[in-house]
Amino acid sequence: TRVGQMAAAWIRCAMRVTARRHGAAFRKFCSKAAKSSGPIGWYLKQLEKRPIITKSLTSMVINGCGDALCQLGVEKRDSLDVKRTGKFSLIGLVLVGPTLHFWFGSLFSLIPTPGTKGVLMRLLIDQTVFASIFNATFFSALLTLEGKPNEIKSKLSKEWWPAMQANWKLWIPANFINFSFVPLRFQVLFANGVAVIWNVYLSLASHRND
């Protein structure tokens, strides 16, 4: 409809203005941080030297924090199930970190289009093709690791669609920022920061009715 077209045009305009105002400043900040001598600078240098292992270890920590926050803050458990947190962390190490590293790199190779158009194209592919496959893989891998492969079908039937809806609410705005302003080498790091919130949800959804 005409109203929908006008709304889409307004959104594109707002995105361009935001990118012009803040994109260069954010990239400048990342560049300065990478040259600093403190902990942030050291970490960013590790991203340059050992990108896959650094991102994988970071994802391991983020996954573990998300599960711990879920257990103690959301589920209100009296004590932490360390074994559960360990398995959730392992998924971050062997699945999440490496997958995001290769996915973000491949996404820019597949869609090198610059500007807002390229961002929206990458966002569309990321939030449809990748998110749908990755969320299903995450649930399946975790249940297999926990010795419950027979529950995969029922878990996906019950939790996959709600997970996709939650995914879009969080990751569409987050990855618009990520793809627009964050240099490619820092995009997994940015995604991991947002993933603290996401992993609380994933942990809750994965262990609902346990």
Side-chain angles (χ1 to χ4, degrees):
T1 65
R2 186 174 180 80
V3 173
Q5 292 172 346
M6 291 174 64
W10 184 89
I11 291 170
R12 287 195 296 270
C13 181
M15 287 177 171
R16 289 192 192 101
V17 171
T18 303
R20 289 194 196 102
R21 287 182 178 178
H22 304 293
F26 190 86
R27 285 189 287 271
K28 186 176 180 181
F29 167 79
C30 289
S31 179
K32 285 185 177 180
K35 296 175 183 176
S36 69
S37 57
I40 295 177
W42 177 85
Y43 178 80
L44 295 179
K45 287 182 177 66
Q46 299 309 305
L47 280 177
E48 291 286 333
K49 295 178 181 178
R50 307 172 184 85
I52 298 177
I53 188 63
T54 303
K55 292 171 186 178
S56 298
L57 289 170
T58 303
S59 294
M60 180 184 72
V61 172
I62 295 296
N63 266 42
C65 288
D67 181 69
L69 285 171
C70 179
Q71 289 190 51
L72 302 178
V74 179
E75 297 174 355
K76 305 295 183 183
R77 290 174 176 248
D78 294 329
S79 60
L80 183 68
D81 183 342
V82 177
K83 189 175 181 180
R84 168 179 147 176
T85 300
K87 292 175 181 177
F88 213 78
S89 299
L90 183 59
I91 291 292
L93 177 68
V94 301
L95 176 65
V96 179
T99 301
L100 292 184
H101 170 78
F102 289 110
W103 171 244
F104 284 141
S106 299
L107 192 57
F108 273 79
S109 298
L110 290 170
I111 308 175
T113 308
T116 304
K117 181 180 178 180
V119 169
L120 294 177
M121 290 171 65
R122 287 187 285 273
L123 196 58
L124 177 64
I125 298 298
D126 180 70
Q127 291 301 304
T128 53
V129 177
F130 177 76
S132 60
I133 295 172
F134 186 75
N135 285 333
T137 302
F138 187 97
F139 284 125
S140 301
L142 185 61
L143 285 170
T144 300
L145 191 62
E146 293 182 338
K148 306 173 186 175
N150 58 311
E151 297 181 14
I152 291 174
K153 186 176 180 179
S154 61
K155 177 64 72 173
L156 292 179
S157 176
K158 183 178 180 181
E159 298 291 354
W160 180 83
W161 179 239
M164 288 300 297
Q165 293 175 302
N167 183 96
W168 292 330
K169 290 176 184 177
L170 177 64
W171 286 109
I172 286 178
N175 274 343
F176 173 75
I177 295 170
N178 202 8
F179 297 157
S180 297
F181 308 139
V182 182
L184 180 58
R185 59 180 173 157
F186 300 138
Q187 286 183 1
V188 173
L189 176 61
F190 179 90
N192 274 324
V194 179
V196 174
I197 300 169
W198 179 239
N199 280 316
V200 172
Y201 171 82
L202 280 181
S203 179
L204 182 65
S206 298
H207 300 98
R208 216 186 314 258
N209 298 326
D210 275 8

